[in-house]
């Protein structure tokens, strides 16, 4: 039995989406046990009349609410009875619980995980690794995408190792082609950080380093892992999502401008629906935090039930694959780490 | 008469694209005089049999060729008779010449411009400012997008001032809404550089600063200027271009997968053509280098004739608007600059 905590508040569609996502995950995975954190009265109400295995679902009462404009450090310190912090503390204290899924505040989740959970031995900085679809039907993981806005080459090397293991163990990508995000392909491109990291990754045998990647090639299908500082990684991921969504929105608007187009679109309705689903990042699970002592998956704030379900199943696979132990082993191969 | 140099070698379609772009620009602008640099024999051959005003076109012989893998500093030092370096030196030495358009190596162009041309008085660092279309039919300028991978808040403030003046004077955008690229909207988001810059821009009366922008909102139409360090600005621009192109490519491929879709697409042919044109960054001119003592416009390496023409006309408008003098005046208002 794998036990996973689901933070049921903080997302845009709380608590319906987390609760319904949890029930769907429970149904699909007989080996799963879920603990929902949040206001017990509201959670009971949401569960009312629904059919699920009561032996594998538990409610943990955590009534405090986190405000939008609260500082992450204040949340961690003062809101111990919020659905998120209660979950983090439980995850830390109980050996039988493996993971946490949350659609709440990213800042509070990162800070809480770092302060309360700690890291896998040897890991300097945990980092986010969301996954995006590539145009050839594959996927690509981007690490870091926002947990660390300031980094060193030693951090970037660890991100490469962790993300490679993640893509291999959780998504079955063999020997992931790993690139460094840079402003050009040549080894000498970019700032000092990039040049230094390039040299370091060349020497890192745990990683199949294929060189620098220019951001326009992210979706080409030529890369499985892209390593970046949290600032530019964040720009990379959000620009991709934003451009795809804006472009599809524009096409939709243009279709409505002429009857002929509407007719054409009618014939292509299924295709457009598929394109939309294809670019919907909610279909690719959440952004996992790699390097914390226990598994943490951050779902998008706007996650619907199916997205939460995917996050839960992602956490499940991470735990099942023994990813943390593998990260520890691989990281340990590089002793003189913080260059 | 406005005199502009056109570097006719270095781009993917040289010398046809620069030569034909030059002839088109010449035809459309009676007040324009062009000087084409490059191998005279090849240029004469390209011009052969074409109809143009010989009084307003001149060839400057510069036979040296710049190799793909040559270091920018070597090019500047050793290739003085290349089409690019000859143009830069002429631009520096002759008061009657206003601008240079090139589709050659970005690195060599930036280095050459910095070393040989120098800067507008008061400007610490020139920066690139390409323009992208927004989904509501407007445009947005991104500065810097690759000339400076390491910057300070003082640099970023100057980029904001220069890009605002550029959008206002060359594109007619009144009081441009200027944002700082960041990982979140709140003032305290991002690294120290971003926080410091946020404070500085708040106090900069020359700029209509509207706060931080998350990269997913670039195409929303809510911003006219986005200020960024050259690294993340480069990621922002190239990710946008890459995602749009990949997505349109995917849609095209999917259309061919079913007869029904092909039929639908036939009805929407004009629309798809328009979307493609809309996202074709060649239609929005080149990336101008703001802050150099004379106007430099960098066209995309893959520029066709029409794109080169747009770059020439962009340079023409920059010169006509007296942008450099305006930048000098506005920059001078902030005396204690390098914080």
């Amino acid at each position: 039995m794998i036990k996973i905590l689901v933070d049921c508040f903080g997302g845009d569609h709380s608590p319906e989406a987390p609760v319904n996502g949890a029930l769907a995950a429970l149904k699909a995975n007989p080996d799963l046990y879920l603990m929902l954190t949040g206001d017990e009265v509201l959670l009971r109400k949401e569960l009312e009349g629904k059919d699920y295995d009561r032996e594998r679902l538990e409610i943990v009462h955590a009534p405090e609410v986190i405000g939008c404009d609260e500082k992450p450090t204040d949340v961690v310190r003062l809101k111990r009875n919020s659905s998120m912090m209660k979950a983090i503390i439980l995850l830390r204290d109980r050996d039988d619980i493996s993971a946490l899924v949350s659609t709440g505040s990213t800042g509070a989740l990162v800070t809480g995980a770092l302060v309360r959970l700690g890291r896998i031995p040897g890991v300097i900085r945990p980092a986010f690794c969301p996954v995006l679809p590539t145009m050839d039907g594959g996927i690509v993981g981007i690490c870091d995408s926002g947990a660390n806005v300031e980094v060193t080459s030693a951090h970037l090397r660890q991100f490469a190792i962790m993300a490679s293991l993640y893509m291999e163990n959780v998504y079955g990508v063999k020997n992931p082609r790993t690139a460094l995000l840079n402003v050009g392909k040549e080894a000498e491109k970019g700032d000092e950080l990039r040049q230094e990291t390039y040299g370091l990754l060349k020497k890192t045998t745990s990683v199949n380093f294929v060189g620098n990647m220019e951001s326009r090639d992210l979706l080409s299908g030529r890369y499985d892992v892209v390593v970046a500082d949290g600032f530019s990684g964040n720009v990379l991921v959000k620009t991709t999502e934003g451009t795809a969504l804006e472009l599809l929105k524009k096409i939709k608007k243009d279709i409505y401008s002429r009857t002929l187009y509407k007719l054409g679109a009618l014939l292509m309705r299924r295709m457009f629906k598929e394109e939309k689903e294809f670019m919907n990042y909610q279909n690719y699970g959440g952004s996992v935090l790699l390097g914390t002592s226990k598994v943490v998956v951050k779902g998008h704030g706007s996650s619907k039930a199916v997205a939460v379900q995917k996050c839960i199943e992602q956490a499940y696979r991470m735990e099942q694959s023994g990813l943390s132990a593998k990260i520890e082993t691989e990281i340990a191969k590089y002793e003189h780490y913080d260059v």
Side-chain angles (χ1 to χ4, degrees), chain A residues 66-83:
Chain A
I66 299 172
C68 296
D69 45 3
E70 284 187 76
K71 271 192 159 176
T73 44
D74 289 345
V75 172
V76 174
R77 214 158 38 89
L78 306 169
K79 291 285 174 79
R80 287 163 189 253
N81 267 318
S82 62
S83 57

Side-chain angles (χ1 to χ4, degrees), chain A residues 137-194:
Chain A
I139 49 171
V140 58
I142 298 102
C143 187
D144 180 24
S145 74
N148 311 281
V149 287
E150 276 158 309
V151 301
T152 68
S153 58
H155 302 151
L156 288 172
R157 165 146 85 167
Q158 290 201 340
F159 299 168
I161 296 172
M162 293 194 295
S164 291
L165 287 168
Y166 173 59
M167 295 307 282
E168 185 144 13
N169 286 282
V170 177
Y171 291 98
V173 180
K174 291 270 161 268
N175 205 20
R177 296 158 300 173
T178 302
L180 175 66
L181 177 65
N182 207 335
V183 293
K185 290 197 133 199
E186 301 83 355
E188 70 279 6
K189 285 279 177 176
D191 51 9
E192 220 182 292
L193 171 65
R194 261 35 83 152

